[in-house]
Amino acid sequence: MTEAKSSPIPAAVARIPGSKSLTNRALVLAACAIGTTTVRRPLISEDTLAFAEALRTMGTRVDRAEDSWTVEGTSGDFASLGTVWCADAGTAARFLPPVAGLVPRGFSFDGSDQLRRRPLGPLLGALRSLGAEVWPTDGHGLPISVKGAPQQLSGPREIELPSGLSSQFVSGLLMAAPLARGLTLRTSDLVSRPYVDMSITLMADFGVLVDEPEPGVFVVPDQPLRSPGVFAVEPDASTASYVFAGAALTRRAIRVDGLGRNSLQGDLAFVDVLAQMGCSVAIGDHTTSVTGAQLPLRGGFTVDMGEISDTFMTAACLAPFADAPIRITGVAHARLKESDRIAAVATNLRAAGVRVDEGDSWLEIHPGRPQPARIDCHRDHRIAMSFSVLGLRADGIMLDDPACVGKTFPGFFEEFDRLFRDPS
């Protein structure tokens, strides 16, 4: 990541909640492990609460306190206590069916209409190749039923997984693989690689070392997951992108503590994009600061955001304030998230009078002066938060569904106002 000298402007410290990606990975690994795990500073949001409740329906005890959750590991001895409701949580729908496919019980999974539209086909195909029974047999998404029988696996111990639609398919299978007493997973077209690296790092914390003898081939050894006792969750780097972007537009200095050069989260690399736009970035061992530059921001470049695609919308909402077009590439898989994010960003920016060109995997945003517009959030938290950044420099930006930020950051608007709108 880029590092630059910080500005003498005193930095305001942003209060960023815990990482959703780390929280839900820690929960599923703790549930599969031997022993009890305390997850400190977890994200408490609609998605993580849904994930914890889904684990309870699978027979895992999860006790919640204000600043920590305690998970009693099952060692793979899960129980089916009803239909596992995933709500809107994509991680629940991608991480929990692999667990079900590798234990000798049957589970049913369902979720919201929005989640039902998100594809699971490659993951379900991989589970079938391991000998799990999946209904409906021609299904490509929720609702599904999964039954696994590890003692009688008929499929190969080495499987292939097309992973161009979502890295969560890979993460889900890797984290469940210790329940199958080892597995070799060959991937193709892997997107969002930093999230897979995150899963592998957390597995090491739980005592299982994943080998990668060649790129995209992952070997999980025959050994059980064991609780580390305590796992501490970092602030969410994807969420931090909004306050860092706010600094870019307001010439303020914003600091996030708990995110530094050794962060497990690839999305911290968003600050590299801000550095390209002319912002001052300082990354320390345990903190990251961004100070905005004078407008217009620097444009006229192309950036591949495929590995940090959850932040491409934040960059897109900064781009109208640059001095030349900015082209964002490598984000085709973002069309299959909570919404078609490429189309949603392009349509909403055009509604605000900004010129946007787009293709299957890219979009190019031209400089412009955004006009008042009603933003269609598509029930997508990241659309709502990204366009809140746009609203810092554009009057009349109204969100049709501001409450959707509760998926990952229930207190987003209060914190955003504190940092950027409060006169104090």
Side-chain angles (χ1 to χ4, degrees), residues 158-323:
E158 179 173 317
I159 61 171
E160 295 188 4
L161 175 66
S163 44
L165 297 181
S166 175
S167 66
Q168 290 176 356
F169 299 158
V170 179
S171 288
L173 279 168
L174 288 177
M175 291 189 292
L179 300 176
R181 303 191 62 182
L183 179 70
T184 297
L185 180 63
R186 293 184 176 272
T187 65
S188 59
D189 305 317
L190 180 58
V191 296
S192 301
R193 172 63 197 249
Y195 285 97
V196 174
D197 292 337
M198 179 193 297
S199 301
I200 291 171
T201 299
L202 264 68
M203 290 177 70
D205 289 340
F206 282 79
V208 174
L209 301 178
V210 178
D211 188 25
E212 189 176 2
E214 58 184 274
V217 178
F218 303 100
V219 180
V220 182
D222 177 6
Q223 61 188 82
L225 295 161
R226 296 184 184 276
S227 171
V230 175
F231 180 84
V233 177
E234 297 175 357
D236 193 294
S238 306
T239 300
S241 75
Y242 310 115
V243 300
F244 289 146
L249 288 187
T250 61
R251 296 197 68 195
R252 300 189 186 190
I254 298 293
R255 189 179 87 228
V256 175
D257 294 335
L259 282 178
R261 61 173 58 92
N262 297 316
S263 172
L264 299 176
Q265 300 172 78
D267 278 4
L268 185 57
F270 175 75
V271 298
D272 291 350
V273 182
L274 295 180
Q276 284 185 268
M277 291 182 176
C279 297
S280 177
V281 174
I283 304 171
D285 289 338
H286 305 290
T287 190
T288 298
S289 300
V290 171
T291 304
Q294 185 168 353
L295 296 181
L297 300 172
R298 188 185 306 140
F301 60 86
T302 296
V303 56
D304 185 338
M305 299 188 72
E307 292 197 338
I308 56 170
S309 63
D310 276 353
T311 65
F312 94 84
M313 296 155 286
T314 322
C317 286
L318 291 177
F321 306 100
D323 58 9

Side-chain angles (χ1 to χ4, degrees), residues 28-109:
V28 70
L29 289 169
C32 293
I34 299 168
T36 299
T37 304
T38 298
V39 181
R40 288 183 178 167
R41 299 187 298 276
L43 170 65
I44 300 174
S45 71
E46 292 173 2
D47 259 21
T48 58
L49 291 171
F51 199 102
E53 188 59 35
L55 284 174
R56 284 200 194 96
T57 307
M58 296 177 71
T60 303
R61 182 171 177 176
V62 182
D63 294 326
R64 300 200 310 261
E66 184 175 346
D67 62 351
S68 65
W69 291 358
T70 301
V71 183
E72 290 191 9
T74 67
S75 304
D77 186 17
F78 287 89
S80 180
L81 304 178
T83 297
V84 180
W85 180 250
C86 300
D88 279 343
T91 47
R94 275 79 180 273
F95 293 173
L96 300 182
V99 171
L102 296 174
V103 297
R105 293 188 184 275
F107 297 85
S108 295
F109 297 88

Side-chain angles (χ1 to χ4, degrees), residues 378-400:
H378 298 273
R379 292 186 57 222
D380 188 333
H381 56 133
R382 300 212 180 279
I383 297 295
M385 290 188 276
S386 296
F387 278 86
S388 295
V389 173
L390 186 83
L392 290 175
R393 283 289 181 179
D395 293 332
I397 299 298
M398 303 293 293
L399 307 178
D400 72 340

